[in-house]
Amino acid sequence: VLVFFVAIGMLAGSEGIGGINFDNPGNTQFIGIIALNFILFSGGFDTDYKLIKPIVKQGITLSTLGVFITAVSVGLFVWWVTDFTLYEGLLLGSIVSSTDSAAVFSVLRAKSLALKSNLRPLLELESGSNDPMAYVLTIVFTGLVINQDASLLSSVPLFFKQILIGGVLGFVFGKLSKIVINSIKLDYEGLYTVLVMAIMFFSFSATDFLGGNGFLAVYLCAVYLGNQELIHKKKIIKSFDGFAWLAQIVLFLTLGLLVFPSQVISVIGIGLVISAFLILVARPASVFISLHFFKINARSKWFISWVGLRGAVPIVFATYPLLAGADKAQMIFNIVFFISLTSVLVQGTSLPLIAKWLNLTLPQNVKKRTQTDME
């Protein structure tokens, strides 16, 4: 479905039958940030803490150490096989280092996969919480590409500032939001959904203004609220599930409009090489190294490796070097777009088959349902 809307966007674009001239990375980035707010908030709001509690450490390890290993390994590989500088390679690796929450949430739920153990909550926790790490790495290496004289060590404080402020404010806003939602008296049930939407945007904006990671704050705020007793909670959950799908459709349409197919065709060769390395080497290596000290069997690790879906998030992150005017920014964007497309097509469509092949599926009648699944 997501690839379908990308295709519609490309057909409607300047090189398609629609002829719409759209070449504005800034607007695309803005639309992407809004869409990611809805996607992350909906995913967090629908997360049952009882299910993710046993795998919080594994999820956090994957979303931090796993992302870092992926970024570095892909970056070094790109530096080795192309004429990219080391920092340009690491920038590309950083952009594609996180799994895409929109793609993972959509595929795991739309495919109605019933997975053994805590695989589903682990994968959803990882995809919902690993964007901040990839975002920080993208910002850091964009700066280093622009200013080659800058020190890599000078970026370390930025990482801790982003994560700490984002994490603390996410829980603070969650606690305050619960009080506001349950205390305020609104005449119409639908206004509570509008109120929660305002809370979502405020959480992101205030955290970003204070120097923290807004994506992390939004996700943690949503996870906290989703596990509390709230007025009209079921209505809010259903509404945000619809909002998240609409956001994904708008985002993928916009990304399709921004892409020039003729430019993507020119990077198919190197794109296939990098995509194959990411899927077959970098992602499995990051998973097996990150989860080495946890009691997870090899079959589950291989499945987690295969669910390293790249979707809209890397493409949105690829707009940052474009706006910064970095060398090779357009080429990086086209390669990232191709990697995301192949990931969704190859990995996303084959997940049920891989799960069955690894004997990790359960009968549908024993599937652990999320709050969105329930009537």
Side-chain angles (χ1 to χ4, degrees):
V1 171
L2 301 179
V3 173
F4 171 74
F5 283 106
V6 169
I8 290 178
M10 294 172 72
L11 287 172
S14 56
E15 293 186 351
I17 57 177
I20 299 174
N21 186 18
F22 181 79
D23 186 15
N24 195 320
N27 286 345
T28 302
Q29 186 182 104
F30 179 71
I31 292 170
I33 290 172
I34 292 176
L36 289 177
N37 268 269
F38 280 108
I39 294 164
L40 287 172
F41 195 91
S42 175
F45 206 66
D46 194 33
T47 298
D48 188 344
Y49 183 71
K50 293 178 182 177
L51 292 179
I52 68 171
K53 187 177 179 180
I55 47 85
V56 166
K57 292 181 180 179
Q58 294 94 314
I60 292 175
T61 304
L62 282 173
S63 63
T64 51
L65 178 61
V67 169
F68 181 78
I69 293 172
T70 302
V72 172
S73 56
V74 172
L76 292 175
F77 179 75
V78 170
W79 178 47
W80 179 51
V81 299
T82 69
D83 62 347
F84 280 34
T85 66
L86 177 59
Y87 284 154
E88 287 170 342
L90 290 171
L91 172 58
L92 176 55
S94 300
I95 291 171
V96 299
S97 60
S98 68
T99 56
D100 184 76
S101 53
V104 171
F105 288 145
S106 300
V107 171
L108 289 182
R109 296 178 184 187
K111 292 287 185 182
S112 301
L113 280 174
L115 298 172
K116 290 182 179 180
S117 187
N118 291 313
L119 279 174
R120 176 168 160 176
L122 173 59
L123 291 165
E124 293 187 352
L125 173 62
E126 180 204 5
S127 67
S129 60
N130 64 8
D131 291 339
M133 183 71 173
Y135 171 81
V136 172
L137 290 174
T138 299
I139 296 301
V140 166
F141 286 111
T142 297
L144 291 172
V145 168
I146 298 297
N147 182 13
Q148 297 283 341
D149 296 328
S151 171
L152 184 59
L153 292 176
S154 64
S155 305
V156 175
L158 172 65
F159 167 74
F160 286 104
K161 180 182 178 183
Q162 284 262 316
I163 301 300
L164 288 175
I165 295 178
V168 171
L169 290 183
F171 283 112
V172 170
F173 288 139
K175 288 179 178 292
L176 292 176
S177 299
K178 177 188 176 182
I179 297 172
V180 171
I181 294 169
N182 288 334
S183 299
I184 197 169
K185 303 299 180 184
L186 299 174
D187 293 333
Y188 300 98
E189 181 181 348
L191 287 177
Y192 283 91
T193 302
V194 178
L195 173 62
V196 175
M197 192 186 303
I199 289 170
M200 174 190 72
F201 284 128
F202 179 80
S203 299
F204 177 87
S205 302
T207 304
D208 188 68
F209 178 76
L210 294 172
N213 192 283
F215 297 121
L216 180 61
V218 165
Y219 182 71
L220 293 179
C221 176
V223 171
Y224 180 85
L225 287 176
N227 288 273
Q228 306 299 315
E229 291 295 327
L230 302 176
I231 297 174
H232 305 305
K233 181 179 178 181
K234 188 177 294 186
K235 172 76 173 181
I236 295 170
I237 290 174
K238 290 291 185 181
S239 297
F240 270 87
D241 184 53
F243 293 152
W245 271 106
L246 177 61
Q248 291 177 62
I249 290 170
V250 171
L251 176 55
F252 276 80
L253 275 171
T254 306
L255 294 173
L257 281 172
L258 184 64
V259 168
F260 293 89
S262 61
Q263 295 180 8
V264 176
I265 291 173
S266 66
V267 300
I268 286 180
I270 189 62
L272 278 172
V273 173
I274 298 173
S275 185
F277 179 83
L278 174 61
I279 294 172
L280 301 176
V281 180
R283 170 65 177 178
S286 69
V287 170
F288 275 81
I289 293 173
S290 300
L291 300 179
H292 177 71
F293 296 102
F294 298 101
K295 293 182 179 179
I296 300 178
N297 61 53
R299 287 184 293 110
S300 295
K301 290 178 182 177
W302 281 117
F303 183 73
I304 294 169
S305 300
W306 195 252
V307 193
L309 291 170
R310 271 67 191 174
V313 172
I315 305 174
V316 173
F317 285 172
T319 62
Y320 284 90
L322 270 177
L323 291 175
D327 291 339
K328 296 190 177 70
Q330 188 62 55
M331 186 177 182
I332 289 174
F333 179 86
N334 293 328
I335 292 174
V336 170
F337 180 84
F338 184 80
I339 289 173
S340 296
L341 200 61
T342 55
S343 176
V344 173
L345 283 172
V346 175
Q347 294 172 288
T349 56
S350 61
L351 277 182
L353 179 64
I354 297 297
K356 291 178 182 177
W357 182 58
L358 293 172
N359 193 28
L360 294 173
T361 58
L362 292 169
Q364 282 294 313
N365 60 348
V366 296
K367 176 186 178 183
K368 295 178 182 178
R369 298 192 298 170
T370 65
Q371 298 177 82
T372 303
D373 299 327
M374 301 177 184
E375 295 297 332

